[in-house]
Amino acid sequence: MAESIYILGDEDRKKFARLVAAAWQDAELRGRYESDPRALLSQYGIAYPEGVPTPPLPPKPEGEFDITDLETAAGTSAPSSVSTILTLTTMTGPSVPDTAGDTF
């Protein structure tokens, strides 16, 4: 049975980017997201539909980043590595092996 997917709009992607950046810097916040993601999504102003799996937090990239850059990347119409990660993570969750053993 296929899982439902939910694609975040531009504003919600920016909000999710802020949440991700905050979770990368705060282990307690990351733990709260892992234990109750819907509450934290709501706290950041993201209304996420019931019955649809919430997106996992992407891994923190190496090096330094600026929240403004992350928000801009998450809200652009042209794909960037961050917006692609956020969109793919939101749409599919983590990579799952198919029946042939390949990952998506």
Side-chain angles (χ1 to χ4, degrees):
M1 180 162 140
E3 288 186 7
S4 297
I5 62 169
Y6 179 70
I7 300 172
L8 295 173
D10 288 346
E11 285 304 310
D12 282 345
R13 278 199 312 272
K14 288 180 183 180
K15 293 172 186 176
F16 188 69
R18 284 185 217 112
L19 169 59
V20 168
W24 284 342
Q25 296 175 1
D26 183 345
E28 180 184 341
L29 186 68
R30 185 174 43 250
R32 286 179 44 214
Y33 185 84
E34 291 170 0
S35 66
D36 191 2
R38 289 188 191 283
L40 212 47
L41 287 167
S42 178
Q43 181 180 335
Y44 275 77
I46 302 167
Y48 212 81
E50 289 296 325
V52 178
T54 55
L57 294 174
K60 183 178 179 180
E62 295 294 320
E64 299 206 10
F65 64 93
D66 182 288
I67 185 64
T68 306
D69 294 336
L70 187 59
E71 289 173 352
T72 301
T76 60
S77 55
S80 70
S81 59
V82 174
S83 66
T84 301
I85 289 169
L86 292 176
T87 301
L88 291 176
T89 301
T90 302
M91 289 176 54
T92 63
S95 296
V96 179
D98 67 11
T99 55
D102 297 331
T103 58
F104 297 104

